Amino acid sequence: MVTKELDLPTILPIDARACERCVADLRQLLSRLDGVEDVTVDPARGILTVRLDPARIPPSSLERAARRLGNAIARRFRHEVLELEGLDCQDCVLVLEHTLVRLPGIRSVSVQYTSSRLWIEYDREEVSRRAVLKRIQALGYQIREVTLGGDHKQELGFSFLAGFLTLAGWLAGLLPLPQWASPALFIAAYIPGAWFPLAASVKALRARRVDMDLLMVVAAFGAGVLNRWAEGAILLFLFSLGHAMESYAMTRARQAIEAVVRLMPREARVRRDGVEGVVPVDEVKPGEVIVVHPGERIPLDGEVIEGISSVDQAPITGESLPVPKEPRDMVFAGTLNLDGVLEVRVTRPSRETTLARIVTLVREASAQKSPSQKFTERVARYLVPAVLSAAASVLAIPPLFGVPFHEAFYRAMTLLIAASPCALAIATPVAVLSAIGRAAMSGVLVKGGTHLEEAGAIDVVALDKTGTLTLGEPKVVEVVSYGVREEEVLRVAAAVEWRSHHPLARAIVAAAQERGLEISPAHDVQVVAGKGILGVVGGSPVAIGTAELIEGLGINLPARVPADIAQLQDSGKIAVIVLWGRQVLGIIGLADQPRTRAREALDRLREFGVRRLVILTGDSPKVAEPIGATLGVDEIRAGLLPEEKVKAVKELLAREGRVAMVGDGVNDGPALAVATLGIVMGASGAEVALESADIALMDDDLGKLSYVIGLGRATRRVILQNLALALGVIVLLVLTTVPGVLTLPAAVFLHEGSTVLVALNGLRLLAYQPRESRASSR
């Protein structure tokens, strides 16, 4: 038996993360092939692993068969994300999903009210795209391009008109006017007040469903039947006002997401054959040179080849200060060139830039439903029919015991209002979308409400060391000299290392330059692989490297040198010996250093409720333990291979609860996948980082780790507050409505007031700022 790994995106040309059903179909079809023993899929890494008998099916034949099957699945099953116009209430979501899923050939449907997007998968052999679109349009919705602003302004205008007519009706009853004037104005208020709720009710009834709008319309017209036109007008005014405020809240949250889209430049200034010309960004190919003037946004990702400037990278990384750019530095689409002219060689086409991927992933995130949202939708789905049944009971039963019919009817209409779950329906989506938008503006990419809620419930944070907690680059931290000054040790070492690209060499040269030492590059430089480097400085041979290298040259090390080397290594440092002629000048100690304010960032995690901090690293314990002690972590697991990190995360999950894994998205990929929450740092420059984690921190600022955990905690608090308020008001209104304690106008006021409060409470997350650290405030 042999194992063959296949690239899943190549085999199955759809987003494997978005359609687990198609991945499962592919796995099942491959398992049926003669000679295939087992098939496993890792969608997060995009790997398809097949165990096969090469005597029965050669690996090359397997790959061809897998491509054929994958293409057949992709051709048969269509996956679309549609922009909808007219999706103006949470009930519309339930109506659409309920209606579409009943069409033959529909495999799955997910509608997201907050982003006005519909995700659908269907079998093209059973249903056509035209039939799907026709069914959507039959319900009164249109497919549209992304627009900002929404219909809340129109709804608000109708609501204010209803309010004006209601107020006029009330004043007409106080003034010496004809008796019919006041009722006529109240009845006129029904037209603008019921306009949008009635339209939504008709859509729902077409789909054979009842919704919250229908409850309100029935209650309002029921009040009219009882000749209580004033109360019905007040109901429709306040309900339409609450509906408009809800639409406004959703529009504000959507604008926070779509603001990222507006950063994407549409044109680029390209130099072709020595002539500059402005062309659409889609026409620029990798390898071409674009010119960016001061004050312009960089249109495409690329490498600076000419010019020096400062660039505002806040839209991508969230960095508050401009970043200096010079030749060989990378720049990102959507960032702002501030000072000088830059010539940039394009490295990615427009559809693959970091900003384009961010936009795509943020839109996907806003279309996903969090656990809390799924819960509230389930409640609302059964609550509305239950309310209608309860109202019918209140209407039918009390008259049997002597209660006047008109009073029972009035209580039933009031109950329809009291128990309508309007606030409950928007309790979660407005909070989640606001938080995702806020995170995106702060350089943190959250791939959906589920991950945001998970971030708010994390118990343990496991962190990779190199490149995550530390800079990932060695730095000279100690120099031991024998009979000469430390500067002389560094000067001689830097002379030999001057032209080397080895990380240790760059660190030694940088340390010498920081001390202002004059460096004359050595000659006859020769690298000894795995041991060090040789050269000639001032006519004398120089060796820089390990004890094995020095002893191999026939030099006996003084007794104190091995002891000093052991001491440096015990404290987690790399020891490099500097030999000039036959004299050991000294030892240079190098170590990877913790990131700036790393300790503060980890302390903030504890303040946000994280119980345990764990380092998982492939480095040796001698290297990891000093870093862990400096940062104050609770546990260090060193010397781990990638598969051992996976095992460690699983152990933490079983022992401690919810675990977030923080890494670089490449060698930590398997551990990121098995953790409750996978978080990647520095994703703005990584090819796979945006795809391999649930949350991506777009720069190397560890402070954003505590920021996203804090935002997750805040989002959970707001969701719980909203749910408590929405459910609490429903219970209160029901308990006071059935006995007749609460009047219809009072029920309307409390019901619509709770909806507005829930919307405004969710919008608070757009302005989220973490509280000041107790450590930094001391």
Side-chain angles (χ1 to χ4, degrees):
M1 292 295 171
V2 298
T3 299
K4 174 73 173 178
E5 286 194 349
L6 303 174
D7 182 49
L8 186 55
T10 303
I11 300 299
L12 185 62
I14 63 167
D15 187 346
R17 296 165 305 141
C19 187
E20 295 179 2
R21 190 192 301 263
C22 287
V23 175
D25 288 346
L26 176 61
R27 181 176 179 275
Q28 186 177 30
L29 291 171
L30 285 174
S31 300
R32 294 175 182 171
L33 294 176
D34 182 46
V36 173
E37 297 295 327
D38 184 51
V39 181
T40 57
V41 180
D42 185 351
R45 295 173 57 221
I47 297 297
L48 191 71
T49 305
V50 183
R51 193 157 59 89
L52 66 148
D53 182 353
R56 295 160 62 192
I57 180 169
S60 58
S61 299
L62 170 72
E63 187 165 353
R64 286 194 299 271
R67 287 177 185 273
R68 186 181 67 253
L69 293 171
N71 287 328
I73 291 172
R75 283 194 302 270
R76 178 173 177 178
F77 301 110
R78 187 180 180 94
H79 308 78
E80 284 198 71
V81 178
L82 303 176
E83 299 284 346
L84 301 180
E85 182 177 332
L87 193 69
D88 52 11
C89 66
Q90 185 67 34
D91 277 332
C92 302
V93 170
L94 303 178
V95 170
L96 265 173
E97 291 180 342
H98 175 77
T99 304
L100 292 176
V101 81
R102 289 162 54 196
L103 279 175
I106 301 296
R107 293 184 20 129
S108 62
V109 178
S110 177
V111 182
Q112 178 55 271
Y113 169 46
T114 53
S115 59
S116 292
R117 282 178 170 81
L118 179 151
W119 191 94
I120 187 168
E121 179 195 358
Y122 56 91
D123 186 341
R124 282 189 272 196
E125 294 184 2
E126 297 185 36
V127 63
S128 67
R129 185 175 192 270
R130 182 178 179 182
V132 172
L133 299 183
K134 186 176 179 181
R135 181 59 61 92
I136 294 172
Q137 291 166 345
L139 293 173
Y141 304 104
Q142 298 298 322
I143 311 300
R144 63 168 172 84
E145 295 297 323
V146 180
T147 57
L148 298 178
D151 295 328
H152 70 275
K153 292 181 180 179
Q154 189 178 8
E155 291 184 41
L156 204 54
F158 274 61
S159 178
F160 283 153
L161 179 57
F164 173 77
L165 292 171
T166 302
L167 178 61
W170 176 71
L171 292 174
L174 300 177
L175 299 173
L177 295 174
Q179 190 173 1
W180 55 265
S182 180
L185 287 168
F186 286 134
I187 292 172
Y190 270 55
I191 298 174
W195 188 271
F196 286 101
L198 188 59
S201 299
V202 171
K203 292 177 184 177
L205 290 174
R206 284 179 181 173
R208 288 177 286 180
R209 288 187 62 88
V210 293
D211 64 2
M212 292 174 282
D213 293 281
L214 181 63
L215 298 184
M216 293 300 163
V217 170
V218 170
F221 282 96
V225 170
L226 295 175
N227 204 30
R228 295 175 180 263
W229 296 106
E231 295 181 10
I234 292 172
L235 162 62
L236 290 174
F237 162 59
L238 290 178
F239 180 67
S240 62
L241 180 63
H243 210 295
M245 291 298 296
E246 176 185 333
S247 295
Y248 168 73
M250 292 298 101
T251 299
R252 280 290 309 276
R254 287 172 192 155
Q255 285 175 334
I257 299 293
E258 299 299 338
V260 181
V261 180
R262 296 197 296 273
L263 294 172
M264 298 180 70
R266 303 299 179 191
E267 297 178 325
R269 184 181 291 103
V270 186
R271 179 178 293 155
R272 291 171 175 168
D273 299 324
V275 179
E276 291 183 14
V278 177
V279 301
V281 291
D282 293 339
E283 295 181 8
V284 182
K285 300 177 181 178
E288 291 194 283
V289 175
I290 58 176
V291 180
V292 187
H293 290 188
E296 294 181 346
R297 291 201 176 274
I298 297 170
L300 295 154
D301 288 5
E303 179 184 356
V304 177
I305 60 173
E306 187 70 35
I308 297 175
S309 183
S310 295
V311 174
D312 179 2
Q313 296 190 158
I316 302 296
T317 66
E319 292 169 279
S320 58
L321 297 177
V323 179
K325 295 294 181 181
E326 58 185 32
R328 300 182 68 179
D329 287 340
M330 298 301 297
V331 292
F332 306 110
T335 57
L336 183 64
N337 182 26
L338 298 176
D339 303 327
V341 177
L342 292 177
E343 294 184 14
V344 178
R345 179 176 288 110
V346 176
T347 56
R348 293 190 184 109
S350 61
R351 65 183 180 277
E352 296 177 10
T353 65
T354 300
L355 181 60
R357 287 181 291 157
I358 291 173
V359 168
T360 300
L361 291 170
V362 169
R363 280 178 168 171
E364 289 176 357
S366 66
Q368 294 176 11
K369 296 179 181 180
S370 70
S372 297
Q373 185 174 349
K374 292 176 182 176
F375 164 74
T376 56
E377 286 185 0
R378 284 196 300 270
V379 171
R381 183 176 290 115
Y382 297 109
L383 184 56
V384 173
V387 170
L388 279 175
S389 300
S393 300
V394 170
L395 176 63
I397 296 174
L400 300 178
F401 297 93
V403 177
F405 178 78
H406 70 88
E407 184 177 336
F409 189 87
Y410 183 80
R411 292 183 188 178
M413 295 304 102
T414 308
L415 179 62
L416 287 179
I417 300 162
S420 178
C422 296
L424 184 65
I426 67 167
T428 297
V430 69
V432 167
L433 196 64
S434 295
I436 289 175
R438 179 58 185 167
M441 291 185 290
S442 302
V444 177
L445 178 60
V446 182
K447 295 186 181 178
T450 299
H451 308 310
L452 193 61
E453 290 194 42
E454 291 288 5
I458 288 299
D459 302 304
V460 179
V461 175
L463 306 105
D464 176 48
K465 181 187 74 68
T466 305
T468 302
L469 288 172
T470 65
L471 297 172
E473 298 178 356
K475 185 177 181 180
V476 174
V477 293
E478 186 174 348
V479 179
V480 179
S481 58
Y482 303 118
V484 296
R485 298 172 59 208
E486 293 181 4
E487 287 77 8
E488 183 66 11
V489 178
L490 280 175
R491 186 188 67 79
V492 172
V496 179
E497 303 280 17
W498 181 257
R499 293 187 177 88
S500 174
H501 296 291
H502 192 281
L504 296 182
R506 291 200 303 267
I508 292 171
V509 172
Q513 290 175 329
E514 287 172 5
R515 300 197 187 194
L517 302 180
E518 184 177 343
I519 304 171
S520 299
H523 55 89
D524 294 339
V525 176
Q526 178 185 352
V527 174
V528 182
K531 296 180 181 180
I533 190 169
L534 307 175
V536 176
V537 177
S540 299
V542 175
I544 316 291
T546 63
E548 185 180 359
L549 172 68
I550 305 302
E551 291 171 346
L553 297 174
I555 305 296
N556 293 321
L557 295 175
R560 60 180 298 186
V561 172
D564 289 339
I565 290 173
Q567 186 176 357
L568 288 169
Q569 291 176 340
D570 287 343
S571 60
K573 300 180 182 69
I574 298 171
V576 175
I577 302 173
V578 179
L579 178 74
W580 191 15
R582 300 187 65 83
Q583 178 188 357
V584 176
L585 296 184
I587 306 171
I588 299 175
L590 302 98
D592 192 5
Q593 294 296 287
R595 291 188 181 277
T596 305
R597 302 177 68 181
R599 177 61 184 261
E600 180 183 341
L602 298 188
D603 288 343
R604 293 302 305 275
L605 289 177
R606 295 189 191 278
E607 291 178 17
F608 282 127
V610 174
R611 292 188 288 101
R612 194 166 182 81
L613 299 172
V614 181
I615 290 179
L616 304 180
T617 179
D619 272 344
S620 67
K622 286 184 178 181
V623 174
E625 287 170 1
I627 297 291
T630 301
L631 299 178
V633 300
D634 300 294
E635 184 180 351
I636 300 167
R637 300 194 184 190
L640 301 180
L641 297 173
E643 58 269 26
E644 292 171 327
K645 287 187 180 182
V646 171
K647 182 180 178 182
V649 170
K650 289 181 177 179
E651 289 176 1
L652 290 171
L653 285 167
R655 189 182 72 198
E656 304 286 353
R658 296 181 178 89
V659 176
M661 176 68 198
V662 187
D664 61 10
V666 183
N667 59 353
D668 295 313
L672 291 166
V674 300
T676 309
L677 188 70
I679 302 177
V680 160
M681 278 189 59
S684 61
E687 291 290 340
V688 300
L690 287 175
E691 309 297 334
S692 63
D694 306 314
I695 294 177
L697 312 182
M698 301 307 294
D699 65 6
D700 295 321
D701 181 7
L702 259 179
K704 286 192 171 61
L705 176 59
S706 57
Y707 175 89
V708 75
I709 297 296
L711 179 61
R713 296 279 202 267
T715 303
R716 285 176 66 90
R717 282 196 303 272
V718 168
I719 289 173
L720 290 175
Q721 291 165 2
N722 283 355
L723 292 177
L725 176 62
L727 291 171
V729 169
I730 289 174
V731 172
L732 173 65
L733 292 179
V734 170
L735 293 178
T736 54
T737 295
V738 176
V741 175
L742 207 64
T743 63
L744 190 145
V748 170
F749 179 79
L750 289 173
H751 178 272
E752 298 309 318
S754 68
T755 302
V756 172
L757 286 176
V758 161
L760 294 177
N761 192 40
L763 284 179
R764 288 192 304 118
L765 291 170
L766 283 174
Y768 170 78
Q769 289 290 345
R771 66 182 185 273
E772 185 181 359
S773 169
R774 290 195 292 266
S776 62
S777 63
R778 286 194 290 266

